[in-house]
């Protein structure tokens, strides 16, 4: 067991509720080997020690948010889609923006963007997917 051996007067990174972020703080008092009171080096406020918040991982969170947004977009657009106009998806067919397709796996989809010469971005109930086309 290795002790960090902190004591009053030591600098420590902690969360400051006033600054609303992790700041460099100084330990004012210790309690049972742990920081008790600390003073924020940024705003000078003394308060109870709060461990610094872990850095967020934006990449993974963003992906989840993105999916949510796409599902919301689907719900928003779904009432305006004329199902009877949807054509069965075939990668040998040409597609244009705003066309509706019926995919055997993903279901009803709305073509939203031509991505490349033979690819379109399609919004399905489960989110956007890039599909091959002619
Ligand atoms: Zn502060």
């Amino acid at each position: 067991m290795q002790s960090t051996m902190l004591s009053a007067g030591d600098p420590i990174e902690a969360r400051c509720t006033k600054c609303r972020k992790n700041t460099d703080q100084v330990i004012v008092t210790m309690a049972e080997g742990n920081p008790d009171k600390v003073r924020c080096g940024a705003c000078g406020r003394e308060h109870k020690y709060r461990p610094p918040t872990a850095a967020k991982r934006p990449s993974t969170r963003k992906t989840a948010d993105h999916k949510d947004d796409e599902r919301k977009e689907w719900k928003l657009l779904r009432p305006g889609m004329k199902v009877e106009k949807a054509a069965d998806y075939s990668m040998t067919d040409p597609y244009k923006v705003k066309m509706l397709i019926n995919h055997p796996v993903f279901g009803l989809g709305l073509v939203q963007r031509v991505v490349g010469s033979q690819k379109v971005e399609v919004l399905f109930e489960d989110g956007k997917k890039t599909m091959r086309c002619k």
Side-chain angles (χ1 to χ4, degrees), residues 25-41:
Q25 313 208 7
V26 175
I27 300 170
V28 179
T29 55
M30 296 285 293
E32 290 161 12
N34 293 308
D36 183 34
K37 264 185 135 182
V38 291
R39 186 171 57 239
C40 174

Side-chain angles (χ1 to χ4, degrees), residues 16-20 23 25 40-45 47:
C16 174
T17 49
K18 196 173 181 194
C19 299
R20 292 185 182 186
T23 58
Q25 313 208 7
C40 174
C43 67
R45 188 163 164 257
H47 54 80

Side-chain angles (χ1 to χ4, degrees), residues 24-70:
D24 292 326
Q25 313 208 7
V26 175
I27 300 170
V28 179
T29 55
M30 296 285 293
E32 290 161 12
N34 293 308
D36 183 34
K37 264 185 135 182
V38 291
R39 186 171 57 239
C40 174
C43 67
R45 188 163 164 257
E46 274 184 28
H47 54 80
K48 233 177 154 43
Y49 170 73
R50 284 169 216 275
T53 47
K56 282 176 191 164
R57 278 167 291 175
S59 56
T60 51
R61 258 204 68 108
K62 205 176 174 191
T63 312
D65 286 349
H66 209 61
K67 259 301 187 240
D68 272 2
D69 285 350
E70 289 173 5

Side-chain angles (χ1 to χ4, degrees), residues 107-118:
L108 188 65
L110 176 68
V111 179
Q112 292 204 303
R113 205 157 62 95
V114 178
V115 184
S117 58
Q118 292 182 316

Side-chain angles (χ1 to χ4, degrees), residues 84-134:
E84 65 274 13
K85 287 200 173 175
D88 287 340
Y89 169 73
S90 160
M91 58 189 240
T92 55
D93 283 348
Y95 291 104
K96 282 182 193 154
V97 175
K98 289 190 179 173
M99 278 179 82
L100 280 173
I101 61 169
N102 245 324
H103 192 276
V105 177
F106 307 124
L108 188 65
L110 176 68
V111 179
Q112 292 204 303
R113 205 157 62 95
V114 178
V115 184
S117 58
Q118 292 182 316
K119 277 179 190 165
V120 285
E121 197 175 77
V122 184
L123 180 70
F124 291 102
E125 187 170 11
D126 197 37
K128 284 178 189 173
K129 297 185 195 302
T130 304
M131 311 297 299
R132 274 203 69 132
C133 68
K134 191 161 188 177

